[in-house]
Amino acid sequence: MALLEREKPAVRVRDYDSHVLVCKGSDCKKRGSKEVRKALKGELRAAGMNGDVRVDSVECLGLCKHGPNAIVYPSGTWYLGLIGADAPEIVGKHLKTGEPVEHLAAEFRPRKKTK
Ligand code: FES
């Protein structure tokens, strides 16, 4: 198959330190994801970190019954069952230092072996 020849869009993107994806799917929304996102944005603003961290809303992350959920990159840390009151700790620790908030971060289970 031939590659489609095309030009890259002539735009540059900001180099953020972290990217937070907050689920806004229906289950997370019912449980307060909008407030969580608002709290995170407010904490970032108060800490003067608006330009360092990007917060986006995404559709379902697949763990609906545990929501509101969010993932923080570049570490790929999942936070499940967030409430707005968790925002100061996530911003003040994880997003400032890069170290996940251990007591809030989901545990990783081992990957299944594919071969
Ligand atoms: S609705 Fe948030 S994980 Fe599915």
Side-chain angles (χ1 to χ4, degrees), residues 12-88:
R12 293 189 293 175
V13 296
R14 189 183 289 181
D15 180 23
Y16 292 98
D17 293 337
S18 299
H19 197 169
V20 182
L21 305 178
V22 180
C23 181
K24 66 167 185 176
S26 60
D27 283 327
C28 286
K29 195 173 176 181
K30 265 188 261 169
R31 296 194 186 92
S33 63
K34 203 171 172 184
E35 290 72 27
V36 169
R37 185 180 192 276
K38 192 174 167 190
L40 285 167
K41 299 272 288 180
E43 286 296 321
L44 287 167
R45 200 173 308 112
M49 296 170 63
N50 274 0
D52 303 326
V53 178
R54 183 173 174 100
V55 178
D56 281 312
S57 296
V58 296
E59 291 300 329
C60 184
L61 292 168
L63 292 171
C64 315
K65 67 180 177 186
H66 304 289
N69 303 322
I71 308 176
V72 176
Y73 288 102
S75 64
T77 304
W78 288 66
Y79 290 106
L80 311 177
L82 287 172
I83 58 173
D86 296 328

